[in-house]
Amino acid sequence: MSARIMVVEDEEALTTLLRYNLDAEGYEVETVGRGDDADTRLKERVPDLVVLDWMLPGLSGIELCRRLRARPETKQLPIIMLTARGEESERVRGLATGADDYIVKPFSVPELLARVKGLLRRASPERLATVLTYGDIELDREKRRVARSGRQIDLGPTEYRLLEFFLEHPGRVFSREQLLDSVWGRDIYIDERTVDVHIGRLRKLLNPGREQDPIRTVRGAGYALDDRFAKVE
């Protein structure tokens, strides 16, 4: 699954340029023109990386960065700050606030793309891995094959995406709404119980016998890959 990137920038021409190039790299891109709007959206859904302008209407990039670092769910969120401020003192201020990287306008698009990829690799290596493994389950993205203990498993497209998403975030609990947004997409309007149906299908395909179920149901919260399953030898 492609990494999700939020671009928070109020210059329309630059936003279009960034969206075009990030789309071309295969990322899922969301753009926001105001700092306060970005703050609201980031409370609803956390992307894999944020490209954040320093000067924004509604809420400055510096203040938004401070808020993101203060919240547990976004404390480790990779942030690249864009700004016309090139002085060393301003760069230090931006990094001290919590930005992971800092690029001064005008900048080279290939350089920005390289920094995005580098940050994603360090923050979420599983996003770029060709093969994902957890316990005795292996998912090969290039071949689009799934195996358990060496036995090939044929998954439908939705079950494949569900398993891939879980493997990217082992142990983390996701609500039905979060799974719908991340696996089906925010623009798809279907009932949350659809998640239960596909989780059930995935379980049957992964556990045809009496094997340990790798998917944990958390009552009142959602689903996760079971932490104990990672210890399967």
Side-chain angles (χ1 to χ4, degrees), residues 2-3 5 7 11 22 34 38 40 74 82 84-85 91 126 132 139 142 152 160 173 177-178 180 189 197 226 230:
S2 58
I5 297 177
V7 175
E11 294 181 30
L22 290 168
R34 293 177 57 90
T40 299
T74 53
L82 302 179
R85 300 169 182 262
R91 292 199 299 272
E126 65 280 353
L132 300 176
L139 183 148
E142 288 188 350
Q152 295 297 313
Y160 179 92
V173 179
E177 182 180 2
Q178 289 173 321
L180 282 174
Y189 298 97
V197 173
D226 197 329

Side-chain angles (χ1 to χ4, degrees), residues 168-186:
E168 289 177 343
H169 309 87
R172 181 176 168 184
V173 179
F174 291 95
S175 67
R176 294 182 181 90
E177 182 180 2
Q178 289 173 321
L179 289 171
L180 282 174
D181 284 348
S182 301
V183 178
W184 278 264
R186 303 188 76 179

Side-chain angles (χ1 to χ4, degrees), residues 196-209:
D196 299 339
V197 173
H198 287 281
I199 289 289
R201 290 177 182 172
L202 179 59
R203 276 179 161 145
K204 288 181 180 179
L205 291 167
L206 291 176
N207 317 313

Side-chain angles (χ1 to χ4, degrees), residues 49 94 119 152 201 215 231-232:
L49 182 143
L119 264 182
Q152 295 297 313
R201 290 177 182 172
I215 300 174
K231 301 176 183 179
V232 174

Side-chain angles (χ1 to χ4, degrees), residues 133-152:
T133 59
Y134 196 69
D136 60 355
I137 294 176
E138 179 178 288
L139 183 148
D140 188 319
R141 284 169 156 156
E142 288 188 350
K143 298 178 181 178
R144 291 191 68 83
R145 289 181 179 173
V146 175
R148 181 168 187 182
S149 297
R151 172 177 53 83
Q152 295 297 313

Side-chain angles (χ1 to χ4, degrees), residues 7 10 18 37 54 58 68 70 74-75 81 83 97 100 114 124 135 143 162 166-167 174 189 197 232:
V7 175
D10 62 329
L18 291 173
D37 289 342
W54 179 299
L68 293 174
T74 53
K75 187 176 182 180
M81 187 159 282
T83 179
T97 303
D100 297 281
S124 304
K143 298 178 181 178
L162 263 175
F166 279 132
L167 290 172
F174 291 95
Y189 298 97
V197 173
V232 174

Side-chain angles (χ1 to χ4, degrees), residues 13-81:
L14 182 54
T15 298
T16 300
L17 176 68
L18 291 173
R19 175 187 283 280
Y20 175 82
N21 284 278
L22 290 168
D23 276 340
E25 290 293 311
Y27 299 117
E28 179 184 333
V29 185
E30 179 180 10
T31 60
V32 188
R34 293 177 57 90
D36 49 355
D37 289 342
D39 191 30
T40 299
R41 293 197 197 181
L42 286 162
K43 290 176 182 176
E44 299 172 350
R45 188 190 192 198
V46 180
D48 296 293
L49 182 143
V50 172
V51 177
L52 178 62
D53 188 26
W54 179 299
M55 299 296 293
L56 292 165
L59 185 71
S60 72
I62 283 287
E63 178 57 28
L64 178 55
C65 188
R66 286 198 189 98
R67 293 186 184 188
L68 293 174
R69 289 297 178 245
R71 297 175 197 150
E73 62 271 20
T74 53
K75 187 176 182 180
Q76 302 298 325
L77 175 63
I79 299 173
I80 296 178
M81 187 159 282

